[in-house]
Amino acid sequence: ILCALLLAATHPNTPANALVNRRTIWLFAPSILLAIAGVYVSLRYWRCPYCGWPLETKFPIARDCPRCRRDIGLYD
């Protein structure tokens, strides 16, 4: 969103559908790379240490793994 707002602010007379082109697409590269890295980390490392089952990310973290019911060890 910040990239699009930056483009709109620096080019006020350019129509919105012409803001993103071959010369300005590189401004979105860092955002895309960070999103890809976040998905990779979530898929690779956010798992139960015992059975490898993916942990929930939409709800509060459960104390026990939903598959093997072992204590994940996230709470003291």
Side-chain angles (χ1 to χ4, degrees):
I1 294 173
L2 183 63
C3 293
L5 290 174
L6 176 69
L7 280 172
T10 57
H11 300 88
N13 296 329
T14 305
N17 62 348
L19 283 175
V20 180
N21 55 34
R22 289 182 184 195
R23 290 182 290 143
T24 59
I25 195 70
W26 62 271
L27 290 172
F28 295 92
S31 302
I32 293 169
L33 290 176
L34 284 174
I36 291 170
V39 169
Y40 172 75
V41 168
S42 177
L43 292 175
R44 174 72 170 94
Y45 296 109
W46 195 245
R47 298 182 171 277
C48 173
Y50 302 107
C51 66
W53 189 259
L55 299 174
E56 291 288 330
T57 57
K58 292 182 181 178
F59 304 106
I61 303 167
R63 183 175 183 86
D64 301 328
C65 173
R67 182 177 181 198
C68 67
R69 303 290 183 212
R70 292 179 72 178
D71 184 17
I72 297 174
L74 296 176
Y75 303 109
D76 290 333

